[in-house]
């Protein structure tokens, strides 16, 4: 059983994520399980989660984004109890309110760069409206890509599979940011970038997250990034294997 520091890093910022008494275990006799006594994420907070592979990162992010629901306890996001939503309802909620930069990018390999960036807008009318509607969504995608260092010559008619790993990572970031989601999750977003682009990418990511008024949750093993965040949580301390079945 573990607990987390529930301080809010931004003065007066309300909690937009609240986990209370959460218990979750994957199926199987020796399966991994976690217990979270309390966790809060404040509006516009920048939270860094430090931890190696196997520390519970994927399970925590799955609970946070509603990919799975707890077997006990409550996960509330923007006032919504995730367990009370249907599976399809959670998918819609995630598309509308979360922007996710996956570690493996999850781009459509044969889609164009622009097609990949605007893809989330196909699943959320509100997010499409926040991006300016159908007419302006492409312009917003171009703006984000340009800010993140993707050349205009690569945006149309250029398959995502033909991009370098670093370029794919920046396209994934633009896709996560379009439509101003309230929560951005970044899973090792700088792992494919060289040192020169590393700091510049983070500067731009922070600027766009700030402009969108979003909270940022970044997972990494790179402790050198800690000074750039409002709050740092060690996954090894926060997410301990559960040795007892969930109630």
């Amino acid at each position: 059983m573990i607990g987390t520091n529930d301080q809010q890093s931004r003065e007066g910022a309300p909690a937009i994520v609240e986990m209370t008494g959460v218990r979750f275990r994957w199926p199987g006799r020796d399966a991994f399980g976690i217990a979270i006594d309390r966790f809060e994420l404040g509006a516009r907070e920048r939270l860094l989660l430090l931890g190696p592979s196997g520390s519970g990162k994927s399970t925590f992010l799955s609970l946070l984004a509603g990919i799975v629901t707890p077997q006990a306890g409550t996960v509330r996001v923007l006032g919504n109890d995730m367990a009370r939503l249907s599976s399809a309802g959670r998918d819609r909620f995630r598309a509308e309110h979360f922007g996710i930069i996956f570690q493996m990018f999850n781009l459509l390999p044969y889609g164009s760069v622009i097609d990949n960036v605007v893809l989330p807008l196909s699943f959320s009318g509100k997010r499409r409206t926040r991006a300016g509607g159908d007419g302006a969504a492409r312009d917003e995608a171009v703006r984000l890509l340009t800010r993140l260092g993707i050349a205009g010559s690569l945006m149309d008619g250029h398959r995502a599979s033909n991009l370098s790993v670093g370029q794919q990572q920046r396209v994934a970031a633009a896709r996560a940011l379009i439509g101003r989601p309230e929560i951005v999750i970044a899973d090792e977003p700088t792992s494919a970038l060289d040192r020169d682009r590393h700091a510049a990418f983070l500067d731009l990511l922070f600027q766009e997250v700030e402009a969108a008024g979003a909270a940022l949750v970044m997972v990494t093993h790179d402790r050198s990034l800690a000074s750039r965040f409002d709050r740092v949580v060690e996954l090894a301390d926060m997410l301990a294997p559960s040795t007892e079945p969930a109630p």
Side-chain angles (χ1 to χ4, degrees):
M1 183 179 299
I2 55 88
T4 68
N5 180 356
D6 63 358
Q7 79 177 67
Q8 294 179 0
S9 60
R10 306 261 174 149
E11 189 68 29
I16 57 174
V17 175
E18 299 173 274
M19 296 185 183
T20 306
V22 168
R23 304 291 182 271
F24 180 84
R25 174 177 286 182
W26 296 101
R29 175 190 294 181
D30 300 320
F32 179 82
I34 63 173
I36 303 172
D37 283 341
R38 185 168 180 81
F39 171 83
E40 291 189 358
L41 177 70
R44 305 176 74 100
E45 182 176 8
R46 295 176 183 175
L47 174 67
L48 184 67
L49 299 180
L50 289 171
S53 177
S55 60
K57 171 195 71 178
S58 295
T59 302
F60 173 77
L61 294 181
S62 293
L63 286 163
L64 173 62
I67 296 170
V68 298
T69 57
Q71 290 142 353
T74 304
V75 177
R76 298 185 69 85
V77 180
L78 298 170
N80 293 270
D81 184 342
M82 300 300 281
R84 291 184 176 274
L85 300 177
S86 66
S87 178
R90 292 197 306 275
D91 289 344
R92 289 191 296 270
F93 186 88
R94 185 165 53 253
E96 186 168 304
H97 300 290
F98 284 86
I100 303 176
I101 308 174
F102 298 95
Q103 187 172 7
M104 300 306 294
F105 317 138
N106 290 2
L107 299 179
L108 299 175
Y110 299 109
S112 72
V113 169
I114 290 288
D115 289 342
N116 271 278
V117 174
V118 300
L119 181 63
L121 308 184
S122 301
F123 304 104
S124 171
K126 290 183 179 179
R127 195 164 166 185
R128 184 166 57 249
T129 298
R130 293 197 299 263
D134 293 334
R138 174 189 159 81
D139 292 340
E140 175 63 2
V142 168
R143 184 190 72 80
L144 287 167
L145 288 165
T146 301
R147 288 273 293 162
L148 291 165
I150 298 296
S153 60
L154 299 177
M155 295 182 192
D156 276 320
H158 199 92
R159 291 179 176 178
S161 59
N162 293 332
L163 299 175
S164 70
V165 173
Q167 288 169 334
Q168 289 184 47
Q169 200 154 35
R170 282 174 275 154
V171 171
R175 181 183 60 187
L177 290 164
I178 197 166
R180 301 198 303 278
E182 290 94 329
I183 302 168
V184 175
I185 296 174
D187 189 355
E188 297 280 5
T190 61
S191 60
L193 302 178
D194 59 41
R195 184 54 59 180
D196 290 340
R197 291 189 178 274
H198 189 282
F201 172 84
L202 286 178
D203 288 342
L204 292 169
L205 178 62
F206 287 157
Q207 289 169 18
E208 291 298 326
V209 166
E210 187 71 24
L216 173 65
V217 178
M218 184 180 293
V219 175
T220 185
H221 63 277
D222 187 351
R223 295 177 180 276
S224 69
L225 302 180
S227 63
R228 306 193 62 166
F229 287 79
D230 299 323
R231 182 157 56 111
V232 179
V233 174
E234 293 276 357
L235 277 166
D237 297 334
M238 190 179 94
L239 301 176
S242 175
T243 58
E244 298 180 1

